[in-house]
Amino acid sequence: MTKILMNLALDSIQKVDFLELDEGMMKHHHVFSIEEKIDLHEAIKNLRPEYQSVIHLKYFDDLSIEEIATQLGMSSNTVKSHLRRGKRELRLMLKEGSC
């Protein structure tokens, strides 16, 4: 059972081999290890729902800011704010290891 759950978790996060969280934090794309992907996935689950949704749509579904805004019924500026705040929280969680 644990093996099945682990495989399902890995399958769901293998889509994201590259993630640029912040230009200031990473100047280039970073290839994540399996453990880092699991930590990232767990950290995303701990974000506020509005941050989770925009981060998922941007980095997992590869939608543009405008597409996310249309899909969620919010302005592009709100989407940008949620992305910025969500990435800030993710950085803090991943640095502290509190996910």
Side-chain angles (χ1 to χ4, degrees):
M1 182 64 136
T2 304
K3 182 73 171 169
I4 293 170
L5 292 174
M6 181 61 96
N7 285 334
L8 288 173
L10 293 175
D11 287 344
S12 71
I13 57 178
Q14 281 178 340
K15 290 182 186 178
V16 181
D17 285 334
F18 301 98
L19 179 63
E20 189 172 341
L21 290 175
D22 182 29
E23 290 177 13
M25 184 174 156
M26 294 183 226
K27 299 273 190 246
H28 51 81
H29 292 287
H30 175 76
V31 179
F32 287 98
S33 70
I34 297 298
E35 292 82 13
E36 289 172 320
K37 287 180 183 181
I38 291 170
D39 289 346
L40 178 61
H41 186 68
E42 288 299 316
I44 290 170
K45 288 189 333 187
N46 289 321
L47 289 174
R48 293 171 47 179
E50 58 270 24
Y51 299 164
Q52 284 181 33
S53 59
V54 295
I55 286 175
H56 181 81
L57 292 170
K58 177 71 175 162
Y59 297 106
F60 289 81
D61 295 344
D62 201 28
L63 297 183
S64 69
I65 299 294
E66 294 76 24
E67 291 169 325
I68 296 168
T70 300
Q71 187 166 343
L72 296 178
M74 57 180 63
S75 73
S76 295
N77 286 337
T78 302
V79 171
K80 290 176 190 177
S81 293
H82 287 337
L83 280 171
R84 186 173 43 255
R85 292 173 185 158
K87 289 188 295 186
R88 185 179 336 131
E89 285 188 20
L90 278 176
R91 274 193 308 274
L92 290 172
M93 282 190 264
L94 292 171
K95 275 185 184 179
E96 296 170 355
S98 61
C99 47

